[in-house]
Amino acid sequence: MAFLTQEQLDALAQFDTPTICNAIEGFGVRAKTTGYTDPSLRLRVGMEDKPMVGYACTGIISARFPAKPEHNEVMRAYYRQYEGFDLPQVAVIQDLDPQPVGSFWGDVQATVHRALGCIGTVTSGGVRDVAEVEKVGFYLFSKEVLISHAYIHMVEAGGTVEVCGMTVQPGDLIHADCHGAIVIPHEVAPRLAAACRQAVDAEEALLLPCREALAQGRRVTADQVMEWRAEMTRRRAAIGK
């Protein structure tokens, strides 16, 4: 697996997740119903106009019952995922509790993770200390917002996780914004920014004449819309080619 350069990651951050999704679809590498989060994930802290892009470090947490001594070593193994890696990383954390009761994320973990090189988290659990975390400059994407950390502890580290319908493995490339999070397949990642530009261009085939009509105060016809849609479809078929 080859990692992208920081310049390539920055290029992907210029596009929102729907555009990323459209561009991935053009390569035909997976079903259109997989690879991204369901509507339960929410952006709690971050910049809506600047997506989070980074490589996944994974863990599984629980907060319903107290930790055992051996869980300290699991925590150490989790933190070690961040060592020796220079590109931005994203913590993708699955919460085992059917209803999250304790938050792994707050001011303390956000600060620790920023120091480790992590820029944000995507979790099926909860987050807290939202105002304080915002000052740290750390992205929070979560299913819940919680008050307590309860008995929170790391159960597993560095394996495959499922977060809000999205399956993630360590090292997966994650792109996330106010719409949710998506896994970028490694095999298309180097060409994805160019494909995103193709995806934008494809939509312009329909959007530009409609915008022109709106600016001129005139209405378009069904036949015109279908003609422009056909051109958009033609351009979409060329994405990734």
Side-chain angles (χ1 to χ4, degrees), residues 222-236:
D223 286 343
Q224 287 176 317
V225 170
M226 294 305 295
E227 178 184 349
W228 299 330
R229 279 177 55 88
E231 175 60 18
M232 180 177 68
T233 300
R234 185 191 69 78
R235 294 186 189 183
R236 281 181 169 172

Side-chain angles (χ1 to χ4, degrees), residues 206-214 217-226 228:
L206 176 58
L207 292 175
L208 287 179
C210 286
R211 288 169 179 161
E212 182 180 356
L214 287 169
R218 58 182 174 83
R219 298 179 68 172
V220 302
T221 67
D223 286 343
Q224 287 176 317
V225 170
M226 294 305 295
W228 299 330

Side-chain angles (χ1 to χ4, degrees), residues 11 49 87 99-100 125 129 166 168 176 183 213 231 240:
D49 61 343
L87 294 170
Q99 176 59 51
D129 301 337
M166 179 179 70
V168 177
V183 174
E231 175 60 18

Side-chain angles (χ1 to χ4, degrees), residues 50-68:
K50 185 178 180 182
M52 177 180 71
V53 184
Y55 287 96
C57 294
T58 63
I60 298 178
I61 57 173
S62 180
R64 196 160 294 278
F65 303 104
K68 297 178 180 179

Side-chain angles (χ1 to χ4, degrees), residues 88-220:
Q89 292 162 291
V90 172
V92 184
I93 306 296
Q94 177 181 346
D95 195 323
L96 281 184
D97 299 330
Q99 176 59 51
V101 66
S103 176
F104 180 79
W105 294 102
D107 184 25
V108 171
Q109 286 290 5
T111 302
V112 167
H113 279 73
R114 285 290 284 132
L116 286 167
C118 180
I119 60 173
T121 186
V122 177
T123 180
S124 58
V127 298
R128 63 178 191 162
D129 301 337
V130 174
E132 292 84 352
V133 172
E134 187 170 15
K135 295 175 185 176
V136 176
F138 192 80
Y139 287 86
L140 292 179
F141 292 84
S142 73
K143 184 176 181 180
E144 307 287 355
V145 175
L146 300 173
I147 294 173
S148 175
H149 54 62
Y151 298 108
I152 197 69
H153 58 278
M154 190 68 61
V155 177
E156 294 181 26
T160 301
V161 297
E162 183 172 334
V163 173
C164 300
M166 179 179 70
T167 301
V168 177
Q169 296 180 345
D172 278 350
L173 181 55
I174 306 297
H175 187 290
D177 65 8
C178 60
H179 301 90
I182 187 168
V183 174
I184 296 174
H186 292 297
E187 61 266 38
V188 307
R191 296 182 289 157
L192 192 58
C196 285
R197 289 188 283 272
Q198 288 180 287
V200 171
D201 176 71
E203 293 183 349
E204 293 295 296
L206 176 58
L207 292 175
L208 287 179
C210 286
R211 288 169 179 161
E212 182 180 356
L214 287 169
Q216 296 174 353
R218 58 182 174 83
R219 298 179 68 172
V220 302

